[in-house]
Amino acid sequence: MATQARARLLSTAEDLFYAEGVRAVGVDRILSVSGVGRASFYRHFASKDDLVVAVLQGRDTRWREWLRDSVDARDLPPGERPLAVFDALAERFARRDFRGCAFVNTMVEAADRDSAAHRVAAAHKAAVTDYLDQLLADAGYRDHASLAHHLVLLIDGAIVTAVREGTTEPARRARRIAAALLAAEHD
């Protein structure tokens, strides 16, 4: 029973935080929507901040698995896999519930770089950078670490632009820029 309550709290909080923002959603709203009682909430989480961290940790795992699976499903040779990340993002941007990057959104709301939520969000970005670094290394790029940071910058820019424009086109534009960057690296 306790596990079901925890799962409902996490699922409800994730949906509400992503749709409305972490600061805009209070514990009372999470309890009301989830149907979980206050005492049960505090058995699972010492505070809303602890809930935010748990939500981000779960989302990090699922999001990175989704990205890896999306790239793998394309069954591309190593040299084409880094650009497949942008194709996966275009699919994500097309979702009706797309509201940007939960981790960037959280970092903006939790402006305190020392907060636990900010650290979890930054760790997510570091893990995505590491994944890109590995894709680029596997593709034979000598300066793969630096290129990975450049691609993450393009990814984050595409995400923010997709929110602003409400289209998938930013992923395609970022892909073209990434392709030019990678081609220049091979010259």
Side-chain angles (χ1 to χ4, degrees), residues 103-127:
F103 303 94
V104 169
N105 296 347
T106 298
M107 283 190 270
V108 169
E109 287 194 63
D112 178 5
R113 296 174 57 87
D114 294 325
S115 73
H118 195 285
R119 287 192 309 268
V120 171
H124 165 78
K125 290 299 182 179

mmCIF file of all heavy atoms in Angstrom, residues 103-127:
data_model
loop_
_atom_site.group_PDB
_atom_site.id
_atom_site.type_symbol
_atom_site.label_atom_id
_atom_site.label_comp_id
_atom_site.label_asym_id
_atom_site.label_seq_id
_atom_site.Cartn_x
_atom_site.Cartn_y
_atom_site.Cartn_z
ATOM 1 N N PHE A 103 14.315 19.599 -16.663
ATOM 2 C CA PHE A 103 15.531 19.888 -15.895
ATOM 3 C C PHE A 103 15.941 21.353 -16.045
ATOM 4 O O PHE A 103 16.297 22.006 -15.059
ATOM 5 C CB PHE A 103 16.638 18.928 -16.315
ATOM 6 C CG PHE A 103 16.204 17.499 -16.124
ATOM 7 C CD1 PHE A 103 15.648 16.788 -17.169
ATOM 8 C CD2 PHE A 103 16.295 16.900 -14.882
ATOM 9 C CE1 PHE A 103 15.196 15.485 -16.984
ATOM 10 C CE2 PHE A 103 15.844 15.610 -14.684
ATOM 11 C CZ PHE A 103 15.292 14.897 -15.733
ATOM 12 N N VAL A 104 15.853 21.882 -17.246
ATOM 13 C CA VAL A 104 16.121 23.307 -17.450
ATOM 14 C C VAL A 104 15.051 24.121 -16.715
ATOM 15 O O VAL A 104 15.369 25.098 -16.025
ATOM 16 C CB VAL A 104 16.156 23.665 -18.953
ATOM 17 C CG1 VAL A 104 16.167 25.178 -19.152
ATOM 18 C CG2 VAL A 104 17.367 23.035 -19.617
ATOM 19 N N ASN A 105 13.792 23.703 -16.834
ATOM 20 C CA ASN A 105 12.713 24.411 -16.148
ATOM 21 C C ASN A 105 12.979 24.458 -14.641
ATOM 22 O O ASN A 105 12.800 25.493 -13.995
ATOM 23 C CB ASN A 105 11.364 23.736 -16.420
ATOM 24 C CG ASN A 105 10.959 23.784 -17.877
ATOM 25 O OD1 ASN A 105 11.541 24.508 -18.682
ATOM 26 N ND2 ASN A 105 9.963 22.994 -18.231
ATOM 27 N N THR A 106 13.421 23.332 -14.091
ATOM 28 C CA THR A 106 13.697 23.265 -12.656
ATOM 29 C C THR A 106 14.882 24.150 -12.284
ATOM 30 O O THR A 106 14.841 24.844 -11.259
ATOM 31 C CB THR A 106 13.959 21.813 -12.222
ATOM 32 O OG1 THR A 106 12.785 21.041 -12.479
ATOM 33 C CG2 THR A 106 14.306 21.728 -10.743
ATOM 34 N N MET A 107 15.926 24.148 -13.107
ATOM 35 C CA MET A 107 17.085 24.995 -12.799
ATOM 36 C C MET A 107 16.701 26.471 -12.810
ATOM 37 O O MET A 107 17.218 27.247 -12.006
ATOM 38 C CB MET A 107 18.232 24.721 -13.771
ATOM 39 C CG MET A 107 18.974 23.437 -13.454
ATOM 40 S SD MET A 107 20.483 23.242 -14.413
ATOM 41 C CE MET A 107 19.861 22.385 -15.831
ATOM 42 N N VAL A 108 15.799 26.844 -13.700
ATOM 43 C CA VAL A 108 15.356 28.232 -13.750
ATOM 44 C C VAL A 108 14.568 28.562 -12.478
ATOM 45 O O VAL A 108 14.766 29.615 -11.869
ATOM 46 C CB VAL A 108 14.500 28.501 -15.010
ATOM 47 C CG1 VAL A 108 13.807 29.848 -14.933
ATOM 48 C CG2 VAL A 108 15.366 28.406 -16.252
ATOM 49 N N GLU A 109 13.687 27.650 -12.075
ATOM 50 C CA GLU A 109 12.873 27.903 -10.883
ATOM 51 C C GLU A 109 13.688 27.814 -9.595
ATOM 52 O O GLU A 109 13.436 28.563 -8.655
ATOM 53 C CB GLU A 109 11.719 26.905 -10.821
ATOM 54 C CG GLU A 109 10.647 27.187 -11.843
ATOM 55 C CD GLU A 109 9.390 26.418 -11.545
ATOM 56 O OE1 GLU A 109 8.780 26.662 -10.486
ATOM 57 O OE2 GLU A 109 9.022 25.561 -12.365
ATOM 58 N N ALA A 110 14.610 26.872 -9.534
ATOM 59 C CA ALA A 110 15.455 26.703 -8.343
ATOM 60 C C ALA A 110 16.782 27.389 -8.623
ATOM 61 O O ALA A 110 17.799 26.744 -8.825
ATOM 62 C CB ALA A 110 15.667 25.217 -8.052
ATOM 63 N N ALA A 111 16.746 28.680 -8.641
ATOM 64 C CA ALA A 111 17.919 29.459 -9.044
ATOM 65 C C ALA A 111 19.127 29.232 -8.146
ATOM 66 O O ALA A 111 20.257 29.510 -8.547
ATOM 67 C CB ALA A 111 17.570 30.940 -9.074
ATOM 68 N N ASP A 112 18.915 28.717 -6.960
ATOM 69 C CA ASP A 112 20.009 28.419 -6.042
ATOM 70 C C ASP A 112 20.785 27.206 -6.563
ATOM 71 O O ASP A 112 20.305 26.082 -6.502
ATOM 72 C CB ASP A 112 19.459 28.132 -4.644
ATOM 73 C CG ASP A 112 20.532 27.761 -3.638
ATOM 74 O OD1 ASP A 112 21.738 27.810 -3.980
ATOM 75 O OD2 ASP A 112 20.160 27.413 -2.500
ATOM 76 N N ARG A 113 21.968 27.457 -7.082
ATOM 77 C CA ARG A 113 22.776 26.387 -7.670
ATOM 78 C C ARG A 113 23.158 25.313 -6.666
ATOM 79 O O ARG A 113 23.529 24.208 -7.044
ATOM 80 C CB ARG A 113 24.030 26.979 -8.313
ATOM 81 C CG ARG A 113 23.735 27.896 -9.485
ATOM 82 C CD ARG A 113 24.981 28.579 -10.010
ATOM 83 N NE ARG A 113 26.011 27.663 -10.403
ATOM 84 C CZ ARG A 113 26.121 27.091 -11.604
ATOM 85 N NH1 ARG A 113 25.238 27.384 -12.526
ATOM 86 N NH2 ARG A 113 27.098 26.273 -11.872
ATOM 87 N N ASP A 114 23.061 25.617 -5.378
ATOM 88 C CA ASP A 114 23.391 24.642 -4.343
ATOM 89 C C ASP A 114 22.193 23.816 -3.887
ATOM 90 O O ASP A 114 22.343 22.894 -3.081
ATOM 91 C CB ASP A 114 24.013 25.351 -3.128
ATOM 92 C CG ASP A 114 25.361 25.968 -3.456
ATOM 93 O OD1 ASP A 114 26.107 25.377 -4.273
ATOM 94 O OD2 ASP A 114 25.662 27.048 -2.913
ATOM 95 N N SER A 115 21.011 24.126 -4.388
ATOM 96 C CA SER A 115 19.825 23.363 -3.984
ATOM 97 C C SER A 115 19.915 21.944 -4.536
ATOM 98 O O SER A 115 20.528 21.698 -5.580
ATOM 99 C CB SER A 115 18.543 24.036 -4.471
ATOM 100 O OG SER A 115 18.396 23.867 -5.868
ATOM 101 N N ALA A 116 19.283 21.024 -3.843
ATOM 102 C CA ALA A 116 19.305 19.618 -4.274
ATOM 103 C C ALA A 116 18.667 19.456 -5.655
ATOM 104 O O ALA A 116 19.171 18.701 -6.492
ATOM 105 C CB ALA A 116 18.595 18.747 -3.244
ATOM 106 N N ALA A 117 17.577 20.164 -5.902
ATOM 107 C CA ALA A 117 16.904 20.054 -7.198
ATOM 108 C C ALA A 117 17.808 20.540 -8.319
ATOM 109 O O ALA A 117 17.894 19.906 -9.377
ATOM 110 C CB ALA A 117 15.597 20.852 -7.188
ATOM 111 N N HIS A 118 18.489 21.643 -8.093
ATOM 112 C CA HIS A 118 19.404 22.178 -9.111
ATOM 113 C C HIS A 118 20.529 21.187 -9.377
ATOM 114 O O HIS A 118 20.909 20.943 -10.524
ATOM 115 C CB HIS A 118 19.959 23.531 -8.661
ATOM 116 C CG HIS A 118 20.615 24.305 -9.759
ATOM 117 N ND1 HIS A 118 21.849 23.998 -10.272
ATOM 118 C CD2 HIS A 118 20.178 25.376 -10.472
ATOM 119 C CE1 HIS A 118 22.160 24.839 -11.227
ATOM 120 N NE2 HIS A 118 21.161 25.692 -11.368
ATOM 121 N N ARG A 119 21.057 20.587 -8.327
ATOM 122 C CA ARG A 119 22.149 19.612 -8.497
ATOM 123 C C ARG A 119 21.696 18.388 -9.288
ATOM 124 O O ARG A 119 22.428 17.894 -10.149
ATOM 125 C CB ARG A 119 22.721 19.206 -7.143
ATOM 126 C CG ARG A 119 23.562 20.301 -6.486
ATOM 127 C CD ARG A 119 24.367 19.787 -5.296
ATOM 128 N NE ARG A 119 23.581 19.047 -4.340
ATOM 129 C CZ ARG A 119 22.990 19.564 -3.264
ATOM 130 N NH1 ARG A 119 23.084 20.862 -3.023
ATOM 131 N NH2 ARG A 119 22.289 18.806 -2.447
ATOM 132 N N VAL A 120 20.482 17.896 -9.017
ATOM 133 C CA VAL A 120 19.962 16.745 -9.762
ATOM 134 C C VAL A 120 19.763 17.117 -11.231
ATOM 135 O O VAL A 120 20.107 16.342 -12.137
ATOM 136 C CB VAL A 120 18.651 16.211 -9.140
ATOM 137 C CG1 VAL A 120 18.000 15.171 -10.040
ATOM 138 C CG2 VAL A 120 18.911 15.626 -7.758
ATOM 139 N N ALA A 121 19.220 18.301 -11.476
ATOM 140 C CA ALA A 121 19.009 18.755 -12.861
ATOM 141 C C ALA A 121 20.342 18.912 -13.587
ATOM 142 O O ALA A 121 20.483 18.504 -14.746
ATOM 143 C CB ALA A 121 18.220 20.066 -12.871
ATOM 144 N N ALA A 122 21.336 19.477 -12.910
ATOM 145 C CA ALA A 122 22.665 19.635 -13.523
ATOM 146 C C ALA A 122 23.303 18.269 -13.777
ATOM 147 O O ALA A 122 23.968 18.077 -14.802
ATOM 148 C CB ALA A 122 23.553 20.494 -12.626
ATOM 149 N N ALA A 123 23.089 17.323 -12.882
ATOM 150 C CA ALA A 123 23.628 15.968 -13.076
ATOM 151 C C ALA A 123 22.996 15.307 -14.302
ATOM 152 O O ALA A 123 23.662 14.574 -15.039
ATOM 153 C CB ALA A 123 23.407 15.119 -11.824
ATOM 154 N N HIS A 124 21.716 15.575 -14.517
ATOM 155 C CA HIS A 124 21.051 15.052 -15.718
ATOM 156 C C HIS A 124 21.735 15.584 -16.976
ATOM 157 O O HIS A 124 22.039 14.826 -17.905
ATOM 158 C CB HIS A 124 19.569 15.445 -15.726
ATOM 159 C CG HIS A 124 18.917 15.264 -17.057
ATOM 160 N ND1 HIS A 124 18.514 14.037 -17.525
ATOM 161 C CD2 HIS A 124 18.632 16.160 -18.044
ATOM 162 C CE1 HIS A 124 17.992 14.186 -18.736
ATOM 163 N NE2 HIS A 124 18.052 15.467 -19.073
ATOM 164 N N LYS A 125 21.974 16.895 -17.003
ATOM 165 C CA LYS A 125 22.625 17.493 -18.174
ATOM 166 C C LYS A 125 24.030 16.917 -18.360
ATOM 167 O O LYS A 125 24.469 16.678 -19.488
ATOM 168 C CB LYS A 125 22.675 19.017 -18.049
ATOM 169 C CG LYS A 125 21.318 19.670 -18.189
ATOM 170 C CD LYS A 125 20.721 19.378 -19.558
ATOM 171 C CE LYS A 125 19.395 20.049 -19.765
ATOM 172 N NZ LYS A 125 18.853 19.772 -21.107
ATOM 173 N N ALA A 126 24.737 16.674 -17.275
ATOM 174 C CA ALA A 126 26.069 16.072 -17.364
ATOM 175 C C ALA A 126 25.980 14.651 -17.922
ATOM 176 O O ALA A 126 26.814 14.241 -18.740
ATOM 177 C CB ALA A 126 26.748 16.076 -15.998
ATOM 178 N N ALA A 127 24.964 13.906 -17.516
ATOM 179 C CA ALA A 127 24.799 12.534 -18.012
ATOM 180 C C ALA A 127 24.451 12.525 -19.500
ATOM 181 O O ALA A 127 24.923 11.658 -20.253
ATOM 182 C CB ALA A 127 23.729 11.804 -17.201
#
